[in-house]
Amino acid sequence: MEKSAEERGMWGSKLGFILAAAGSAIGLGNIWRFPYVTGENGGAAFVLIYIILVFGIGFPVMIAELSIGRHTRKNPIGAFEKLFPGSPWKFLGVLGVVTGICILSFYGVIAGWVFGYIFKTISGAFNNIETAQQAEIMHNEFTGNPVNSIGLFFIFIFLTSYVIYKGVKGGIEKWAKILMPALLILLILLIIRSVTLPGSSEGLAYYLVPDFSKINFETILKALGQAFFSLSLGMGTMLTYGSYISKKDNIVSSAFYVCLFDTMIAIVAGLIFFPALFALSMSPDQGPALIFHVLPSILNKFPGGQLFGAGLFILISIAALTSTVSLLEVPVAYVVDEKGWTRKKAVLVMGSLSFIIGIPSALSGNAVSFFTMLPVIGTDFLSLMSSVFGDFSLSIGSFFIALFVGWKWGVKNAVNEIEQENIEFKIKSAWRVFIKFICPIAILIIFINLVVNLF
Ligand code: PHE
């Protein structure tokens, strides 16, 4: 028997949905990934391209995902199966489920480190950290200890599983309402500290004055992958969250706010890290450990840094938790809806799977040298997972979602779904052009160029 929309559960209000979706979108992607990817890809010019891609590609794809979700009231695999039974489109859902498990597997590792830094801050471990090099050594010791890394990763997967197991939405909605404003306030205070450090202005210039000579197709692909990653697109998270939206709510304006809030937090995070990096005379391409190299060194120069730092790491942990919950929700919803598993079994199996797949990532921060520097590939295991699943898989998923809505399910059906209850979709002719042509073609061109460049 199919459950009614009410029985499956719904968001309490439009604001509730926006906050929950923003909770999924805002996370380590904004605070951990955006700064380091920006640092590796040339600074301001990358930021500009990123913003264009968020609103030009991400926003239309988000509208597409949300409308499939609300229309079918299903998880990603069930949704495609419901619209076109027996068609291969359901593999798009399968890709989403696999991607969710694999993103969680490395994301949970970083989240575990952040979680561990709460206690490090409280214990005063940063009090003697004067330079970024000292912070780096401390971080390497910390992640180089396999018991630490795997233990904290386990705790984080456990917390995520617990929230999902307890049945979710009420919880996610409530947390997001308090968390987002608090996080924003702490981040803004940190910006003030960062830009007033001597020598920070060079960092501001790096972050805000574009140098287009640093841009090539690979950086554009990175920006595209980062946009999908940060907006939680391309693997059915937004489709699943969309399945809990009321027909009275406006999908388009909700999607716009989610894109706006998410981008704001990322930009704000960059304003903390780049001025500080240059003030500390560090190069911007620190890779995934960037925030762990920078934060201790500036917290140390902050009045009440110990308490403030603990608060900051707690908030980043919660922001990460509202994202990991949305990652695990996709595979869980799938086996519960389609395979008739109990929620308990689903959470146990999917959570454990993610944990096992994540162990090499947890060991890739100096604990095991093989995973820290993979032969031939030349990066660490975690960065590899982040590229394969965070960039490629989400870009491919988004490409097919655009094709699906633009050409298979049809723009007309999507527009009908969006225009329920007398809501007018004002930009529908523009959206039609974007979802049918611009989004898929742009993603394809970027991909083809990358492959051509590889050879
Ligand atoms: N958007 C999340 C973040 O920025 C990560 C995420 C990706 C969550 C894909 C769900 C799906 O932290």
Side-chain angles (χ1 to χ4, degrees), residues 24-30 103 107 228-233 235 237 262 319 323-324 326-327 394:
S24 163
I26 297 170
L28 297 177
N30 311 59
I103 292 182
Y107 197 100
F228 292 138
F229 185 88
S230 193
L231 298 171
S232 305
L233 291 175
M235 56 156 276
T237 300
D262 187 68
S323 300
T324 50
S326 76
L327 284 162
L394 294 181

Side-chain angles (χ1 to χ4, degrees), residues 161 328 332 341-353:
S161 305
L328 190 57
V332 166
W341 291 20
T342 61
R343 227 179 151 74
K344 191 170 170 183
K345 177 178 168 195
V347 168
L348 211 66
V349 171
M350 295 303 172
S352 309
L353 205 59

Side-chain angles (χ1 to χ4, degrees), residues 188-206:
I188 290 174
L189 290 175
L190 271 182
I191 296 182
I192 298 172
R193 173 67 276 196
S194 184
V195 296
T196 51
L197 290 171
S200 62
S201 56
E202 219 182 305
L204 268 184
Y206 177 83

Side-chain angles (χ1 to χ4, degrees), residues 71-279:
H71 185 78
T72 56
R73 299 246 182 258
K74 286 277 189 190
N75 65 83
I77 299 183
F80 296 110
E81 188 60 21
K82 180 169 178 181
L83 288 173
F84 296 97
S87 81
W89 283 101
K90 74 161 181 277
F91 288 109
L92 191 47
V94 177
L95 179 71
V97 168
V98 173
T99 306
I101 295 171
C102 290
I103 292 182
L104 180 60
S105 81
F106 70 84
Y107 197 100
V109 170
I110 307 286
W113 293 349
V114 172
F115 191 69
Y117 266 48
I118 299 173
F119 307 100
K120 257 189 138 36
T121 322
I122 295 176
S123 73
F126 300 157
N127 289 353
N128 301 319
I129 301 291
E130 290 298 334
T131 66
Q133 285 70 24
Q134 288 168 337
E136 186 173 346
I137 293 169
M138 190 184 69
H139 181 67
N140 284 344
E141 269 168 24
F142 178 70
T143 60
N145 177 341
V147 180
N148 253 349
S149 237
I150 295 182
L152 289 165
F153 172 43
F154 179 80
I155 292 173
F156 213 87
I157 294 280
F158 179 81
L159 285 176
T160 307
S161 305
Y162 184 76
V163 175
I164 292 272
Y165 171 61
K166 277 285 157 193
V168 237
K169 278 150 274 132
I172 305 180
E173 232 177 299
K174 243 177 274 154
W175 286 38
K177 269 183 207 169
I178 317 164
L179 162 82
M180 298 300 151
L183 180 64
L184 190 63
I185 292 170
L186 254 57
L187 293 178
I188 290 174
L189 290 175
L190 271 182
I191 296 182
I192 298 172
R193 173 67 276 196
S194 184
V195 296
T196 51
L197 290 171
S200 62
S201 56
E202 219 182 305
L204 268 184
Y206 177 83
Y207 186 54
L208 298 175
V209 184
D211 169 3
F212 288 101
S213 68
K214 293 193 176 132
I215 293 301
N216 55 40
F217 272 103
E218 204 189 328
T219 45
I220 301 178
L221 182 78
K222 275 278 168 200
L224 185 70
Q226 174 60 20
F228 292 138
F229 185 88
S230 193
L231 298 171
S232 305
L233 291 175
M235 56 156 276
T237 300
M238 286 300 164
L239 192 158
T240 308
Y241 274 32
S243 74
Y244 309 122
I245 307 181
S246 146
K247 297 278 181 194
K248 289 198 283 294
D249 292 341
N250 185 333
I251 289 179
V252 179
S253 63
S254 305
F256 182 76
Y257 284 121
V258 174
C259 293
L260 191 70
F261 291 156
D262 187 68
T263 307
M264 259 170 51
I265 299 280
I267 300 290
V268 160
L271 282 173
I272 298 171
F273 289 107
F274 290 101
L277 268 174
F278 281 75

